[in-house]
Amino acid sequence: TQLLEQSPQFLSIQEGENLTVYCNSSSVFSSLQWYRQEPGEGPVLLVTVVTGGEVKKLKRLTFQFGDARKDSSLHITAAQPGDTGLYLCAGPSFNQAGTALIFGKGTTLSVSS
Amino acid sequence: NAGVTQTPKFQVLKTGQSMTLQCAQDMNHNSMYWYRQDPGMGLRLIYYSASEGTTDKGEVPNGYNVSRLNKREFSLRLESAAPSQTSVYFCASSLRQSQISNYGYTFGSGTRLTVV
């Protein structure tokens, strides 16, 4: 069974600080995705990483896919209150019936001003 | 574009009651999914539909049934609600299963269900 483990589970920081969130698995994934979920809303896709070692930047957010494609990280530079939310990593899981995404349990980020 | 629309947004049921959660997408996506989200458990797949006319069980299908009414609509039915089904339910869609690795899901805003 493929599992995605995220750490830390909770993170509370001050505006302007940097942080890194991790997503790890013992399985190889063809790609990993990061979503952000705000209270009362559904998750929204931030980025997909496909190639081992790939680094993608989205403004102050930097996403990295591990060389072995078993892990990924999300680094936020100079966090702002608007970054507050639940960050989820997800990867495709293949079985006989088809393909669906499995999700990590998420990291809840709180940024205070 | 509305994207993925879920109704209702909130619902309280008594144990044993039945209800149907509705989901519709207007993006011409082929694949649709139902997840439940519980504290400490993350998002778990209940059922999915790779294309119109097909449905398959996910990780936690017991107590639920689904109907892919047409390409746009995918409903989730609780025949006899139990307190363990108290959760937030999310519907999602993707262009097709083979492309979720690249394009991911579009989610609805969820249905918050409480069973008392």
Side-chain angles (χ1 to χ4, degrees):
Chain A
T1 304
Q2 293 176 297
L3 290 174
L4 288 168
E5 298 185 357
Q6 290 188 239
S7 61
Q9 187 177 358
F10 299 99
L11 199 50
S12 182
I13 62 172
Q14 295 288 111
E15 183 176 4
E17 293 184 20
N18 301 331
L19 67 114
T20 302
V21 174
Y22 300 93
C23 175
N24 295 290
S25 177
S26 58
S27 304
V28 175
F29 281 86
S30 58
S31 66
L32 283 178
Q33 299 172 354
W34 286 91
Y35 291 77
R36 182 169 70 199
Q37 184 179 13
E38 298 186 13
E41 298 296 328
V44 175
L45 179 65
L46 295 174
V47 76
T48 299
V49 286
V50 178
T51 306
E54 182 177 5
V55 176
K56 281 191 173 179
K57 292 190 176 184
L58 187 65
K59 297 183 180 178
R60 294 175 293 100
L61 278 61
T62 301
F63 304 85
Q64 186 164 4
F65 200 10
D67 291 340
R69 291 186 288 130
K70 291 183 177 182
D71 58 87
S72 181
S73 64
L74 158 60
H75 182 79
I76 301 179
T77 302
Q80 299 178 359
D83 296 325
T84 292
L86 176 66
Y87 289 83
L88 297 161
C89 67
S93 179
F94 307 93
N95 58 44
Q96 291 180 337
T99 304
L101 290 178
I102 61 169
F103 288 82
K105 293 180 180 180
T107 294
T108 300
L109 172 64
S110 175
V111 183
S112 54
S113 56
Chain B
N1 275 345
V4 178
T5 302
Q6 291 185 237
T7 56
K9 290 190 180 298
F10 301 94
Q11 184 72 48
V12 178
L13 288 179
K14 294 182 179 179
T15 297
Q17 287 185 319
S18 62
M19 79 161 295
T20 300
L21 282 64
Q22 307 287 352
C23 175
Q25 52 88 13
D26 62 2
M27 298 171 289
N28 202 33
H29 282 177
N30 289 288
S31 302
M32 298 183 73
Y33 311 82
W34 277 105
Y35 286 81
R36 59 179 290 175
Q37 187 174 40
D38 303 290
M41 301 295 290
L43 282 159
R44 292 180 292 170
L45 182 65
I46 305 171
Y47 270 94
Y48 61 105
S49 172
S51 61
E52 185 178 356
T54 69
T55 61
D56 288 292
K57 296 178 180 179
E59 180 186 357
V60 289
N62 292 343
Y64 305 95
N65 286 300
V66 291
S67 294
R68 183 73 184 267
L69 304 171
N70 47 56
K71 189 172 184 178
R72 292 186 62 247
E73 299 172 286
F74 188 37
S75 63
L76 179 70
R77 183 161 178 83
L78 287 70
E79 291 290 352
S80 178
S84 61
Q85 294 178 304
T86 293
S87 187
V88 182
Y89 292 85
F90 286 100
C91 177
S93 70
S94 64
L95 183 58
R96 53 181 60 86
Q97 274 198 332
S98 62
Q99 293 181 316
I100 62 170
S101 294
N102 291 320
Y103 300 110
Y105 290 167
T106 300
F107 281 90
S109 58
T111 294
R112 284 144 190 81
L113 175 67
T114 301
V115 183
V116 298

